Amino acid sequence: MSASKTVRKLQVVSPVPADIDIANSVEPLHISEIAEELNLSPKHYDLYGKFKAKVLLSVIDELEGSTDGYYVVVGGITPTPLGEGKSTTTVGLCQALGAFLDKKVVTCLRQPSQGPTFGIKGGAAGGGYSQVIPMDEFNLHLTGDIHAITAANNLLAAAIDTRIFHESTQTDKALLNRLCPPSKEGKRSFSDIMFRRLKKLGISKKQPEDLTAQEIKKFARLDIDPDSITWRRVMDVNDRFLRKITVGQGPEEKGMVRETGFDISVASEIMAVLALTTSLADMRERLGKMVIGNSKAGDPITADDLGVGGALTVLMKDAINPTLMQTLEGTPVLVHAGPFANIAHGNSSIVADKIALKQVGPGGFVVTEAGFGADIGTEKFMNIKCRYSGLTPQCAVIVATIRALKMHGGGPEVVAGRSLDRAYLTENVSLVEAGCVNLARHISNTKAYGVNVVVAVNMFSTDSEVELNAVRNAALAAGAFDAVVCTHHAHGGKGAIAKNETPIWDSRDPDIVLLYSQIFAALGLGSVLLDGFLFAGPFLFADLGFVDLGIAVQKACENVTQKLKFLYPLDTSIKEKIEAIANSYGASGVEYSEQAEKQIEMYSKQGFSTLPICMAKTQYSFSHEPSKKGAPTGFSLPIRDVRASIGAGFIYPLVGTMSTMPGLPTRPCFYDIDLDTTTGRVIGLS
């Protein structure tokens, strides 16, 4: 990919404007131009307007056998409720690699839920001068994938309650007759999906009339235990009042009331299936294998048992294709899937990564983001996503902020919506150094997978040089390959402004001048020191530190010496796998509730014990208690329940209380969101 065709020079200003204002100030390129830079022909994608396209999975088949590029995952330290800028760092790193270092690069990101977009967190397109555009389309409906998941999830929910209702009012023979109605010729037959259930039951007969009375009962009566149902309805809005509901209160349902609830759409197992699938055929199998509960005899009931697996696949047939977009600086982005990072694995899709790795080729870079801290997102990226994809990362970036490190060092509580305490706005090196124990554990845990670790310190204007140096020294001492201070939010990937603009980075330090003169020379760029500021060619390099991050990641990928190592083998027991993960948190042991013990025994008997583990715990601490900051040790990790996403392919233990339907704050983000009815542009989106 030649950067000269699509790369844009950003005209950065200070102070940094609102994200939506920056996004609206840049006219996106037609998405066909971005596709062309990736060597995608029109047969490889379907247009969704001028600035989005769905990339077809046929690209993977056409490039089978070609060499992949470098694979980089971006995680973070244990975050504050304000977030530490992983998405911004991911986008900024790709802009640095593609727009400045002239590397082939693709950013792979999750699609954000409308829940946080309209709630408290805001969107997830990055921020400042490191964003995906159009930012409003990215954060809202995009190409409808989440809506497809919502529809599929709720179709399955309706099928469950409907089946219970009909089985309660009909005989076995009546059920068979209605499940297999006569054709125009008067003959009854099984539909294709029914043969899946017959095979599962060990019945080889081909015609309904050949079934014995016992076989009719086994085939037609699922006998679902209402108390075992784990499948809930979903919607893509934060609505706390739907966390617990009752269904079946209508007079025609004959009093079949049961308690259930709603999750947010991205918490649906179907979203996790989308993220972990490797092909359309694989998705069909995974959707059909999803377990919704048990029969009264204790056997797992699947979507295919209900006859709905094929219909779910039809609803998801377009959602399986990743969406192509672009960054502010014109580098390509694949947006796909957005599984809930607590109860699911919190990573974008395998198919997007596979397409991207083939498209960038040898020497190119694919940078993807893992949700929350590295103890959740990066751990699940390695032990779940990489197991199913077969892909091997070379580098892991860990994003840190002085703000979060001070919190982990004993600083005051950080609360979203409240002003930061003075401790976070003034120099306090001792707090930073104390908090670096959190960073150090993330580094050691991540290095254990066999990848090189680069720390990106997301710099804020209140951070001092002494504080930043303390983080860099602590990171290197903990075994990081490199640690780099970054200002990508303020300056973008290239960090360049026109020569006649107001300078925003003073390069008078002779060591800095020497270092970057050498970098520019290595890149074939002439540099000059003029009036205390360092220039290269026609540009003033304002964000030199972020260029460092691109170079550090490149070197880390080129110098990886180990193979990918998983935290646990799959053939160990469910408890052994849970305890291996708990040990990485710093726990001295694991406590299982009576319910958890019961579920582990059941899943083991049902043959699911070889699945990987997806821990559902708070993102705000290594432990189960959000208040325990830093790097706690010696605690016992409580497992209150264990559940399974069989179609997605993992067991998820619940550590403490975990809400799958967020609530709205007193002042949600939607107060600021509106439409300029003159221009048609969205305003106030963050």
Side-chain angles (χ1 to χ4, degrees):
M1 181 180 72
S2 173
S4 61
K5 290 184 180 180
T6 61
V7 166
R8 288 179 290 260
K9 293 186 295 182
L10 293 178
Q11 299 296 317
V12 301
V13 297
S14 183
V16 179
D19 290 349
I20 189 66
D21 294 334
I22 294 174
N24 286 339
S25 72
V26 176
E27 179 66 21
L29 296 164
H30 195 283
I31 200 62
S32 61
E33 296 183 57
I34 303 296
E36 185 179 352
E37 292 295 289
L38 280 176
N39 296 318
L40 294 172
S41 71
K43 72 176 183 177
H44 293 137
Y45 60 87
D46 292 330
L47 291 173
Y48 278 66
K50 294 185 291 184
F51 307 128
K52 306 186 298 294
K54 280 281 196 178
V55 180
L56 307 179
L57 299 195
S58 57
V59 174
I60 298 176
D61 298 330
E62 289 186 20
L63 294 174
E64 186 178 3
S66 61
T67 305
D68 290 347
Y70 292 121
Y71 196 25
V72 180
V73 60
V74 178
I77 64 170
T78 306
T80 69
L82 306 178
E84 310 317 308
K86 287 195 311 298
S87 297
T88 306
T89 300
T90 303
V91 175
L93 170 59
C94 290
Q95 290 183 163
L97 288 166
F100 179 72
L101 297 177
D102 200 19
K103 301 293 182 182
K104 289 186 176 181
V105 64
V106 175
T107 313
C108 289
L109 292 176
R110 291 176 293 164
Q111 180 182 347
S113 165
Q114 288 181 172
T117 297
F118 290 111
I120 193 169
K121 186 174 180 290
Y129 287 99
S130 294
Q131 292 189 57
V132 180
I133 55 173
M135 182 259 227
D136 56 336
E137 296 183 24
F138 179 95
N139 283 313
L140 299 176
H141 305 285
L142 199 61
T143 48
D145 292 355
I146 292 180
H147 300 319
I149 288 162
T150 303
N153 183 100
N154 293 342
L155 175 62
L156 180 51
I160 295 166
D161 288 308
T162 297
R163 187 58 173 262
I164 294 173
F165 170 74
H166 287 304
E167 287 191 17
S168 71
T169 59
Q170 299 179 52
T171 65
D172 298 341
K173 185 67 174 178
L175 280 171
L176 178 67
N177 289 341
R178 286 178 171 83
L179 287 170
C180 304
S183 64
K184 291 180 180 180
E185 293 76 24
K187 292 184 178 180
R188 298 183 184 274
S189 62
F190 295 117
S191 63
D192 289 344
I193 199 170
M194 291 177 178
F195 286 107
R196 292 174 179 251
R197 176 159 176 79
L198 290 166
K199 182 179 179 180
K200 175 181 175 180
L201 296 171
I203 299 172
S204 59
K205 295 174 181 177
K206 303 298 183 182
Q207 302 298 329
E209 58 266 24
D210 295 336
L211 298 183
T212 66
Q214 184 61 31
E215 288 170 338
I216 290 173
K217 183 179 182 67
K218 287 173 64 178
F219 168 73
R221 192 167 295 281
L222 301 183
D223 203 22
I224 298 169
D225 178 1
D227 292 334
S228 75
I229 296 172
T230 55
W231 199 264
R232 290 155 59 94
R233 289 159 174 82
V234 300
M235 64 187 303
D236 198 31
V237 173
N238 290 359
D239 193 341
R240 67 175 71 241
F241 284 92
L242 293 178
R243 289 171 179 167
K244 184 177 287 188
I245 64 168
T246 56
V247 295
Q249 298 192 69
E252 294 185 2
E253 281 66 59
K254 306 183 188 307
M256 296 181 61
V257 176
R258 73 177 182 90
E259 191 176 275
T260 181
F262 274 77
D263 295 330
I264 196 159
S265 293
V266 293
S268 170
E269 183 179 349
I270 296 176
M271 175 63 90
V273 166
L274 177 65
L276 289 171
T277 195
T278 55
S279 67
L280 189 60
D282 180 59
M283 184 173 73
R284 169 64 185 89
E285 293 305 308
R286 287 175 180 269
L287 291 173
K289 289 178 181 177
M290 294 188 303
V291 173
I292 58 88
N294 299 324
S295 69
K296 291 174 182 175
D299 298 319
I301 303 297
T302 68
D304 272 348
D305 288 329
L306 285 157
V308 74
L312 301 182
T313 309
V314 169
L315 287 171
M316 294 292 294
K317 69 180 180 65
D318 295 321
I320 196 174
N321 298 313
T323 301
L324 180 64
M325 297 186 75
Q326 63 193 285
T327 67
L328 283 169
E329 299 194 58
T331 59
V333 180
L334 285 176
V335 185
H336 203 211
F340 203 83
N342 294 107
I343 68 162
H345 65 294
N347 283 259
S348 60
S349 77
I350 287 174
V351 293
D353 291 357
K354 285 193 167 187
I355 290 171
L357 285 164
K358 296 298 184 188
Q359 291 302 128
V360 299
F365 293 83
V366 172
V367 183
T368 189
E369 175 195 346
F372 293 149
D375 57 316
I376 297 181
T378 304
E379 184 270 309
K380 295 174 183 179
F381 172 86
M382 301 291 184
N383 290 307
I384 299 176
K385 184 176 180 180
C386 288
R387 282 188 197 271
Y388 284 121
S389 70
L391 300 174
T392 300
Q394 289 77 38
C395 174
V397 176
I398 296 178
V399 179
T401 61
I402 298 296
R403 174 179 69 197
L405 292 170
K406 285 181 175 179
M407 179 189 71
H408 288 294
E413 185 181 9
V414 176
V415 180
R418 295 185 195 171
S419 298
L420 284 171
D421 188 272
R422 180 173 171 76
Y424 297 104
L425 305 176
T426 56
E427 185 178 287
N428 192 324
V429 180
S430 60
L431 269 186
V432 174
E433 290 177 336
C436 282
V437 295
N438 183 271
L439 173 62
R441 182 177 291 174
H442 282 297
I443 291 171
S444 61
N445 283 355
T446 306
K447 277 190 67 182
Y449 295 111
V451 299
N452 283 331
V453 175
V454 174
V455 173
V457 186
N458 192 3
M459 179 181 172
F460 290 80
S461 60
T462 53
D463 301 340
S464 75
E465 184 178 354
V466 179
E467 290 173 328
L468 295 167
N469 285 336
V471 179
R472 175 174 166 78
N473 292 337
L476 295 175
F481 182 87
D482 204 348
V484 181
V485 176
C486 311
T487 60
H488 44 280
H489 181 274
H491 307 138
K494 194 170 185 179
I497 60 174
K499 189 172 179 179
N500 60 355
E501 295 289 328
T502 303
I504 49 179
W505 185 289
D506 193 332
S507 304
R508 291 186 176 91
D509 186 323
D511 291 334
I512 292 178
V513 172
L514 176 61
L515 172 63
Y516 284 98
S517 293
Q518 292 171 342
I519 292 174
F520 296 147
L523 295 171
L525 299 171
S527 60
V528 62
L529 185 66
L530 180 63
D531 193 26
F533 296 96
L534 187 65
F535 292 82
F539 302 116
L540 163 65
F541 284 86
D543 184 17
L544 302 177
F546 204 58
V547 175
D548 269 351
L549 182 61
I551 294 172
V553 167
Q554 179 180 346
K555 289 181 178 178
C557 289
E558 292 171 346
N559 290 280
V560 68
T561 57
Q562 301 181 61
K563 293 183 178 180
L564 178 62
K565 293 181 281 189
F566 298 119
L567 187 58
Y568 51 79
L570 291 179
D571 58 4
T572 56
S573 70
I574 292 175
K575 281 190 174 181
E576 286 173 313
K577 285 180 281 210
I578 290 173
E579 286 154 17
I581 298 172
N583 182 64
S584 74
Y585 297 158
S588 58
V590 178
E591 296 176 2
Y592 300 92
S593 71
E594 184 179 342
Q595 173 66 12
E597 294 277 11
K598 176 184 174 184
Q599 292 297 103
I600 289 171
E601 182 181 2
M602 182 187 70
Y603 291 136
S604 298
K605 285 181 178 178
Q606 291 176 343
F608 301 139
S609 63
T610 58
L611 293 175
I613 299 297
C614 185
M615 292 289 241
K617 80 170 187 72
T618 178
Q619 68 268 36
Y620 294 125
S621 173
F622 273 110
S623 77
H624 57 288
E625 297 182 63
S627 61
K628 289 187 176 181
K629 304 302 181 185
T633 58
F635 59 91
S636 185
L637 194 73
I639 307 298
R640 69 175 179 87
D641 199 357
V642 178
R643 298 177 187 171
S645 291
I646 303 304
F650 52 74
I651 302 289
Y652 63 99
L654 299 178
V655 183
T657 302
M658 190 59 55
S659 175
T660 51
M661 171 55 85
L664 290 171
T666 304
R667 191 190 186 284
C669 292
F670 61 61
Y671 272 86
D672 300 313
I673 299 171
D674 212 326
L675 193 70
D676 184 327
T677 55
T678 302
T679 64
R681 282 186 163 178
V682 174
I683 56 177
L685 199 60
S686 62

